[in-house]
Amino acid sequence: MAKKPIEIAGETFPTQGAAKERLRGIMAGYRNGTPVNAFDQAFLLALLERHPETDRKLGAGAAYIYVDQNPVYPNTRTFFLARVDGSVTDFSYLECLKTTPHHKKVLRALRTAVEPDTMRFKQEFFDRAGGAAVCPINGKPIWFVGSHVDHAPPATFDNLVAVFLDDEGLTFEDIAVIPTEDNTYQDRLADPDLERKWIDFHTHRATLRVISQIANLSTVRTAGRQETPTP
């Protein structure tokens, strides 16, 4: 079955990839903090109508849209909407093109919960290594910047989550995720007790290692156990 074309502001895109390319082109055309022109703003506002939380994102109404660095993930850029009341919110063009399934939001929230631990592990690893080390997968040199924290198999991140949910008698659908507020950028678990249980479980069961970005995005992905980069 052929995929349905995506229509935004009178433009038709045969695939999500084509729409993404158009949006990446808009983003690349502006310096950080610079408002987009009227033509691009009209396109982006039409795109925002596809967002699952359009009304909340628009709030009091759009004043202008600009591109800026993501403060949580500084290697990425995102769109921001400045409202007429002076408030600002970010919005993901990926979420506008395809809503993230609930189970993926739960997985993201679980990763967010343990991110302080993985970042601490990474810092301590390079402190012990004197600032540089060797990737255990491909033997390439690695440094703090650009390397990723990986969950060594068989206790991959997905496997740890599966065991944790089984221990708690839960499914993904049982777990609530806090709707992202303005400029929060990360999903969070709604139940703080469950979050604490997960962090404790992860602390005791995870076997972390630091690997190169190339290994994480090629070798590890090919093996079916890709990890989210920890910058």
Side-chain angles (χ1 to χ4, degrees), residues 5-75:
I6 298 171
E7 295 187 5
I8 306 170
E11 297 184 40
T12 301
F13 302 93
T15 64
Q16 285 189 31
K20 289 178 184 177
E21 189 65 26
R22 170 80 166 89
L23 288 156
R24 284 194 288 264
I26 293 175
M27 189 171 286
Y30 295 93
R31 295 181 179 179
N32 287 346
T34 304
V36 303
N37 62 39
F39 178 77
D40 287 337
Q41 176 152 318
F43 182 84
L44 292 171
L45 287 175
L47 172 75
L48 192 54
E49 291 295 329
R50 300 170 56 92
H51 195 284
E53 300 176 13
T54 301
D55 291 342
R56 189 177 63 78
K57 289 293 184 182
L58 287 172
Y64 59 92
I65 294 174
Y66 62 98
V67 179
D68 212 338
Q69 189 177 49
N70 185 317
V72 176
Y73 302 108
N75 291 329

Side-chain angles (χ1 to χ4, degrees), residues 29-30 33 42 45 78 107 113 115 128 143 158 168 193 205 219 223 229:
Y30 295 93
L45 287 175
T78 191
L107 286 171
E115 189 170 322
R128 292 192 302 271
W143 297 268
D158 286 347
E168 296 296 320
D193 290 333
R205 300 290 288 272
T219 307

Side-chain angles (χ1 to χ4, degrees), residues 144-180:
F144 188 93
V145 176
S147 59
H148 294 177
V149 177
D150 172 62
H151 292 74
T156 64
F157 186 83
D158 286 347
N159 287 345
L160 288 173
V161 171
V163 173
F164 177 73
L165 294 183
D166 186 62
D167 287 352
E168 296 296 320
L170 298 170
T171 68
F172 284 112
E173 295 305 316
D174 296 322
I175 301 177
V177 175
I178 299 173
T180 54

